[in-house]
mmCIF file of all heavy atoms in Angstrom:
data_model
loop_
_atom_site.group_PDB
_atom_site.id
_atom_site.type_symbol
_atom_site.label_atom_id
_atom_site.label_comp_id
_atom_site.label_asym_id
_atom_site.label_seq_id
_atom_site.Cartn_x
_atom_site.Cartn_y
_atom_site.Cartn_z
ATOM 1 N N GLY B 304 82.021 112.245 53.550
ATOM 2 C CA GLY B 304 81.649 112.184 54.930
ATOM 3 C C GLY B 304 81.267 113.524 55.553
ATOM 4 O O GLY B 304 81.414 114.614 54.882
ATOM 5 N N ARG B 305 80.667 113.392 56.749
ATOM 6 C CA ARG B 305 80.272 114.606 57.430
ATOM 7 C C ARG B 305 81.424 115.599 57.762
ATOM 8 O O ARG B 305 81.271 116.792 57.666
ATOM 9 C CB ARG B 305 79.562 114.268 58.771
ATOM 10 C CG ARG B 305 78.271 113.691 58.518
ATOM 11 C CD ARG B 305 77.570 113.382 59.888
ATOM 12 N NE ARG B 305 76.166 112.785 59.661
ATOM 13 C CZ ARG B 305 75.192 113.670 59.608
ATOM 14 N NH1 ARG B 305 75.314 114.897 59.660
ATOM 15 N NH2 ARG B 305 74.005 113.146 59.439
ATOM 16 N N ALA B 306 82.523 115.010 58.007
ATOM 17 C CA ALA B 306 83.679 115.807 58.325
ATOM 18 C C ALA B 306 84.014 116.701 57.094
ATOM 19 O O ALA B 306 84.345 117.963 57.188
ATOM 20 C CB ALA B 306 84.835 114.935 58.683
ATOM 21 N N ALA B 307 84.032 116.032 55.961
ATOM 22 C CA ALA B 307 84.294 116.762 54.770
ATOM 23 C C ALA B 307 83.278 117.903 54.545
ATOM 24 O O ALA B 307 83.589 119.066 54.116
ATOM 25 C CB ALA B 307 84.355 115.887 53.491
ATOM 26 N N LEU B 308 82.085 117.581 54.805
ATOM 27 C CA LEU B 308 81.092 118.566 54.638
ATOM 28 C C LEU B 308 81.245 119.804 55.633
ATOM 29 O O LEU B 308 81.198 120.904 55.155
ATOM 30 C CB LEU B 308 79.620 118.034 54.965
ATOM 31 C CG LEU B 308 78.468 119.013 55.006
ATOM 32 C CD1 LEU B 308 78.325 119.681 53.538
ATOM 33 C CD2 LEU B 308 77.154 118.204 55.221
ATOM 34 N N ALA B 309 81.463 119.439 56.799
ATOM 35 C CA ALA B 309 81.735 120.517 57.900
ATOM 36 C C ALA B 309 82.945 121.303 57.443
ATOM 37 O O ALA B 309 82.866 122.478 57.527
ATOM 38 C CB ALA B 309 82.011 119.882 59.185
ATOM 39 N N ALA B 310 84.010 120.650 57.020
ATOM 40 C CA ALA B 310 85.200 121.336 56.540
ATOM 41 C C ALA B 310 84.840 122.350 55.399
ATOM 42 O O ALA B 310 85.342 123.393 55.256
ATOM 43 C CB ALA B 310 86.298 120.475 56.152
ATOM 44 N N GLY B 311 84.167 121.691 54.453
ATOM 45 C CA GLY B 311 83.702 122.499 53.272
ATOM 46 C C GLY B 311 82.921 123.808 53.631
ATOM 47 O O GLY B 311 83.175 124.851 53.062
ATOM 48 N N LEU B 312 81.939 123.580 54.556
ATOM 49 C CA LEU B 312 81.127 124.695 54.856
ATOM 50 C C LEU B 312 81.933 125.718 55.690
ATOM 51 O O LEU B 312 81.725 126.937 55.635
ATOM 52 C CB LEU B 312 79.944 124.188 55.559
ATOM 53 C CG LEU B 312 79.015 123.305 54.742
ATOM 54 C CD1 LEU B 312 77.729 122.976 55.528
ATOM 55 C CD2 LEU B 312 78.622 124.034 53.475
ATOM 56 N N ALA B 313 82.840 125.173 56.494
ATOM 57 C CA ALA B 313 83.676 126.083 57.307
ATOM 58 C C ALA B 313 84.470 126.916 56.388
ATOM 59 O O ALA B 313 84.751 128.123 56.476
ATOM 60 C CB ALA B 313 84.557 125.366 58.280
ATOM 61 N N ALA B 314 85.059 126.225 55.332
ATOM 62 C CA ALA B 314 85.755 126.995 54.255
ATOM 63 C C ALA B 314 84.942 127.997 53.613
ATOM 64 O O ALA B 314 85.382 129.034 53.163
ATOM 65 C CB ALA B 314 86.281 126.025 53.222
ATOM 66 N N ALA B 315 83.684 127.543 53.338
ATOM 67 C CA ALA B 315 82.768 128.600 52.735
ATOM 68 C C ALA B 315 82.588 129.877 53.565
ATOM 69 O O ALA B 315 82.638 130.925 53.030
ATOM 70 C CB ALA B 315 81.391 127.985 52.509
ATOM 71 N N LEU B 316 82.485 129.644 54.779
ATOM 72 C CA LEU B 316 82.333 130.846 55.787
ATOM 73 C C LEU B 316 83.679 131.631 55.741
ATOM 74 O O LEU B 316 83.563 132.841 55.640
ATOM 75 C CB LEU B 316 82.074 130.235 57.143
ATOM 76 C CG LEU B 316 80.665 129.768 57.488
ATOM 77 C CD1 LEU B 316 80.579 128.917 58.644
ATOM 78 C CD2 LEU B 316 79.663 131.021 57.532
ATOM 79 N N LEU B 317 84.716 130.933 55.743
ATOM 80 C CA LEU B 317 86.053 131.636 55.710
ATOM 81 C C LEU B 317 86.195 132.397 54.492
ATOM 82 O O LEU B 317 86.625 133.605 54.355
ATOM 83 C CB LEU B 317 87.149 130.623 55.919
ATOM 84 C CG LEU B 317 88.506 131.091 56.086
ATOM 85 C CD1 LEU B 317 88.718 131.893 57.440
ATOM 86 C CD2 LEU B 317 89.559 129.924 56.149
ATOM 87 N N LEU B 318 86.030 131.645 53.326
ATOM 88 C CA LEU B 318 86.165 132.289 51.987
ATOM 89 C C LEU B 318 85.252 133.402 51.789
ATOM 90 O O LEU B 318 85.571 134.431 51.141
ATOM 91 C CB LEU B 318 85.833 131.223 50.952
ATOM 92 C CG LEU B 318 86.984 130.178 50.645
ATOM 93 C CD1 LEU B 318 86.418 129.027 49.942
ATOM 94 C CD2 LEU B 318 88.128 130.745 50.059
ATOM 95 N N GLY B 319 84.051 133.344 52.391
ATOM 96 C CA GLY B 319 83.133 134.411 52.347
ATOM 97 C C GLY B 319 83.740 135.745 52.904
ATOM 98 O O GLY B 319 83.259 136.817 52.522
ATOM 99 N N GLY B 320 84.532 135.637 53.722
ATOM 100 C CA GLY B 320 85.235 136.855 54.370
ATOM 101 C C GLY B 320 86.285 137.534 53.560
ATOM 102 O O GLY B 320 86.708 138.533 53.917
ATOM 103 N N THR B 321 86.688 136.898 52.455
ATOM 104 C CA THR B 321 87.838 137.421 51.779
ATOM 105 C C THR B 321 87.452 138.408 50.591
ATOM 106 O O THR B 321 88.378 139.008 49.991
ATOM 107 C CB THR B 321 88.658 136.227 51.115
ATOM 108 O OG1 THR B 321 87.798 135.574 50.209
ATOM 109 C CG2 THR B 321 89.111 135.335 52.246
ATOM 110 N N GLY B 322 86.202 138.385 50.226
ATOM 111 C CA GLY B 322 85.867 139.224 49.096
ATOM 112 C C GLY B 322 85.705 140.731 49.290
ATOM 113 O O GLY B 322 85.762 141.212 50.476
ATOM 114 N N CYS B 323 85.571 141.508 48.208
ATOM 115 C CA CYS B 323 85.312 142.847 48.391
ATOM 116 C C CYS B 323 83.783 143.100 48.272
ATOM 117 O O CYS B 323 83.212 142.805 47.284
ATOM 118 C CB CYS B 323 86.037 143.648 47.239
ATOM 119 S SG CYS B 323 87.644 143.292 47.220
ATOM 120 N N ALA B 324 83.228 143.614 49.276
ATOM 121 C CA ALA B 324 81.718 143.648 49.407
ATOM 122 C C ALA B 324 81.200 144.416 48.193
ATOM 123 O O ALA B 324 81.503 145.554 47.852
ATOM 124 C CB ALA B 324 81.329 144.417 50.612
ATOM 125 N N GLY B 325 80.145 143.848 47.507
ATOM 126 C CA GLY B 325 79.371 144.405 46.528
ATOM 127 C C GLY B 325 80.025 144.687 45.189
ATOM 128 O O GLY B 325 79.421 145.048 44.257
ATOM 129 N N THR B 326 81.238 144.386 45.018
ATOM 130 C CA THR B 326 81.940 144.609 43.793
ATOM 131 C C THR B 326 82.566 143.350 43.155
ATOM 132 O O THR B 326 83.388 142.761 43.812
ATOM 133 C CB THR B 326 83.082 145.602 44.000
ATOM 134 O OG1 THR B 326 82.641 146.691 44.740
ATOM 135 C CG2 THR B 326 83.659 146.092 42.615
ATOM 136 N N PRO B 327 81.980 142.834 42.109
ATOM 137 C CA PRO B 327 82.454 141.704 41.468
ATOM 138 C C PRO B 327 83.913 141.885 41.202
ATOM 139 O O PRO B 327 84.446 142.841 40.780
ATOM 140 C CB PRO B 327 81.761 141.486 40.244
ATOM 141 C CG PRO B 327 80.562 142.305 40.363
ATOM 142 C CD PRO B 327 80.862 143.414 41.273
ATOM 143 N N SER B 328 84.719 140.744 41.455
ATOM 144 C CA SER B 328 86.081 140.890 41.338
ATOM 145 C C SER B 328 86.695 139.543 40.881
ATOM 146 O O SER B 328 86.413 138.536 41.366
ATOM 147 C CB SER B 328 86.808 141.267 42.601
ATOM 148 O OG SER B 328 88.289 140.909 42.503
ATOM 149 N N ALA B 329 87.440 139.634 39.738
ATOM 150 C CA ALA B 329 88.070 138.388 39.233
ATOM 151 C C ALA B 329 89.052 137.802 40.217
ATOM 152 O O ALA B 329 89.459 136.614 40.047
ATOM 153 C CB ALA B 329 88.681 138.606 37.816
ATOM 154 N N SER B 330 89.500 138.568 41.164
ATOM 155 C CA SER B 330 90.566 138.068 42.054
ATOM 156 C C SER B 330 90.095 137.077 43.191
ATOM 157 O O SER B 330 90.812 136.428 43.730
ATOM 158 C CB SER B 330 91.209 139.246 42.746
ATOM 159 O OG SER B 330 90.403 139.861 43.598
#
Side-chain angles (χ1 to χ4, degrees):
Chain B
R305 285 182 177 274
L308 172 59
L312 296 183
L316 286 165
L317 186 64
L318 287 164
T321 62
C323 304
T326 311
S328 165
S330 64

